[in-house]
Amino acid sequence: MLPAFDTSRRMPSEVDLSLLWSGLILLLLGMVMVYSASIAIAEAGKHTGNHPAYFLVRHGVFLTIGLIGAGLAFQVPLTTWQKLSPWLFVAGFVLLALVLIPGIGRDVNGARRWLPLGVANLQPSELMKLFAVLYAADYTVRKMPHMHDLKKAFLPMAGAMVAVGVLLLKEPDFGAFVVIISIAIGILFLGGMRARLFAILIVVLVAAFAILIVVSPYRRDRIFGFMDPWSDAFGRGYQLSHALIAFGRGELFGVGLGASVEKLFYLPEAHTDFLLAVIAEELGFTGVVFVVVLFGLLVQRAFVIGRQAVALDRLYSALVAQGVGIWIGVQGFINMGVNMGLLPTKGLTLPLMSFGGSGILANCVALAVLLRVDWENRQLMRGAKL
């Protein structure tokens, strides 16, 4: 007779399995949907060699590189990340500046956001999101005794963010600017910024964003197109109107994987910015809810891991974990809001899922750092029990 299995002797997991599986499922589902959304444009494009799997192959390569990068990043202790964070932030700033130099940065559709690397392009703004998390966490820890002092705590960080913002708006990349500002302000708030100061800051930021929209004609057009996309469905409301059509066609369970009509040259950027709309059309409301739940679980686990790090007196690790949660949560919310017509059209990809090498690499490394925070938490708790 076989002995009963003693579940009390099972070793606890080395990492948060909910976080790990939610991230992996999003990555794999993203690969499937990128292939589905890109077949038509790949078959018709001269630069793709008319090969239907062109974007699938490239996305697979990007994902492989991202997972290798994640594996390497997981080996790096958080103390090392903290020491490197100022230098990584400076490196990111230099890369953003290089993008704007004629002959170095690559211009696509009126935006200069990429550095050509031969077989692929590097988008520094994606890496800067990760560097902003690491730097803002380190800055907050260093300024912890002065977090209630506007001059000593907030203004130096504000200066750094303004400098980054100037470069991003020159590209222009307003979406990345919003995400990076959200990361920095969120980490400062979690680090102990006074609530009144935080409220004033939010008001100032909202006013600044409003001014940026008013003084920019193309941003004004996007706002008007968002308010009533059907009034100019073939002009400024084109992207949103077709995204909404995709959502409407999908209904509850979708038209079936691969059966989207909107991806057939109707919906622009179907495999990048509007991937969720293709998911809605092919997998329906059920598929969209599944994706939202996975993102919600990932963000929730990031904040839980952060709270565990706080309890272990690991403030830098806690702020990094929660900063990653803010990053994924804010960018995911903006992308989903744009696809659903809840927010004005903005050029932000869906984290972990949309096509794009720089984004996939940065997201994978961020998840690896988050898993490292969790792993170090568990090692400390295990040591304390022993």
Side-chain angles (χ1 to χ4, degrees):
M1 189 173 176
L2 293 173
F5 184 74
D6 185 1
T7 57
S8 65
R9 294 184 181 179
R10 291 177 61 188
M11 293 296 291
S13 173
E14 290 291 328
V15 294
D16 190 316
L17 293 179
S18 297
L19 172 64
L20 179 63
W21 280 110
S22 60
L24 288 176
I25 292 171
L26 285 171
L27 287 169
L28 294 175
L29 179 60
M31 189 171 184
V32 172
M33 296 311 303
V34 163
Y35 180 43
S36 176
S38 64
I39 292 176
I41 189 174
E43 286 183 331
K46 292 183 179 179
H47 69 287
T48 65
N50 305 113
H51 197 293
Y54 175 83
F55 290 103
L56 171 66
V57 172
R58 289 180 68 85
H59 193 78
V61 172
F62 295 151
L63 185 55
T64 301
I65 294 172
L67 291 175
I68 293 173
L72 296 174
F74 183 78
Q75 306 302 318
V76 180
L78 266 294
T79 52
T80 302
W81 284 116
Q82 186 172 6
K83 292 175 184 176
L84 292 175
S85 59
W87 301 105
L88 291 173
F89 187 79
V90 171
F93 186 85
V94 171
L95 289 175
L96 288 176
L98 286 176
V99 166
L100 300 175
I101 299 176
I104 296 180
R106 184 183 179 189
D107 195 308
V108 179
N109 296 328
R112 187 183 292 271
R113 302 176 184 174
W114 297 270
L115 292 173
L117 300 179
V119 296
N121 296 316
L122 175 68
Q123 189 172 356
S125 60
E126 292 294 338
L127 300 181
M128 195 61 180
K129 295 168 188 175
L130 173 61
F131 300 160
V133 170
L134 299 172
Y135 176 71
D138 174 57
Y139 177 88
T140 303
V141 170
R142 288 188 283 110
K143 296 290 184 177
M144 191 60 65
H146 310 290
M147 283 307 294
H148 297 301
D149 190 316
L150 174 66
K151 184 177 180 181
K152 293 181 179 180
F154 172 69
L155 291 183
M157 175 60 79
M161 290 301 107
V162 167
V164 170
V166 168
L167 296 178
L168 288 172
L169 293 175
K170 285 284 186 180
E171 295 184 2
D173 195 345
F174 186 70
F177 178 52
V178 171
V179 172
I180 290 173
I181 288 295
S182 300
I183 291 169
I185 299 306
I187 289 178
L188 285 175
F189 177 72
L190 292 170
M193 179 187 286
R194 187 178 300 174
R196 181 180 298 179
L197 177 59
F198 181 75
I200 294 172
L201 180 60
I202 293 300
V203 172
V204 171
L205 285 174
V206 170
F209 288 148
I211 292 172
L212 287 172
I213 291 171
V214 169
V215 300
S216 174
Y218 88 91
R219 292 193 185 107
R220 286 203 309 270
D221 287 342
R222 286 187 171 184
I223 291 294
F224 293 138
F226 158 71
M227 294 173 66
D228 186 8
W230 307 109
S231 64
D232 188 10
F234 294 99
R236 61 194 181 194
Y238 182 81
Q239 290 176 306
L240 179 53
S241 61
H242 281 280
L244 294 176
I245 291 171
F247 271 85
R249 291 192 75 248
E251 297 184 345
L252 187 59
F253 296 109
V255 296
L257 185 63
S260 167
V261 171
E262 285 300 315
K263 69 185 181 186
L264 304 177
F265 306 104
Y266 294 105
L267 185 63
E269 309 298 338
H271 59 305
T272 55
D273 298 354
F274 286 91
L275 186 67
L276 187 69
V278 177
I279 293 173
E281 186 177 4
E282 296 190 348
L283 304 182
F285 177 76
T286 305
V288 173
V289 169
F290 180 66
V291 170
V292 172
V293 168
L294 286 176
F295 273 106
L297 177 61
L298 193 153
V299 173
Q300 185 264 347
R301 297 314 302 168
F303 276 85
V304 168
I305 291 169
R307 288 198 299 270
Q308 291 171 345
V310 169
L312 295 168
D313 199 26
R314 304 177 64 233
L315 186 55
Y316 176 75
S317 298
L319 292 175
V320 167
Q322 294 175 343
V324 171
I326 292 171
W327 167 16
I328 300 297
V330 169
Q331 184 167 333
F333 174 79
I334 293 174
N335 179 273
M336 293 175 188
V338 167
N339 277 253
M340 297 178 188
L342 302 176
L343 294 173
T345 303
K346 194 68 240 119
L348 275 177
T349 57
L350 189 60
L352 300 167
M353 299 189 73
S354 293
F355 178 81
S358 302
I360 289 293
L361 174 61
N363 294 159
C364 287
V365 171
L367 279 185
V369 173
L370 181 55
L371 286 167
R372 176 73 192 199
V373 174
D374 178 58
W375 183 83
E376 291 183 3
N377 286 349
R378 291 169 187 255
Q379 300 307 305
L380 287 173
M381 289 188 290
R382 181 175 298 176
K385 289 179 181 179
L386 295 177

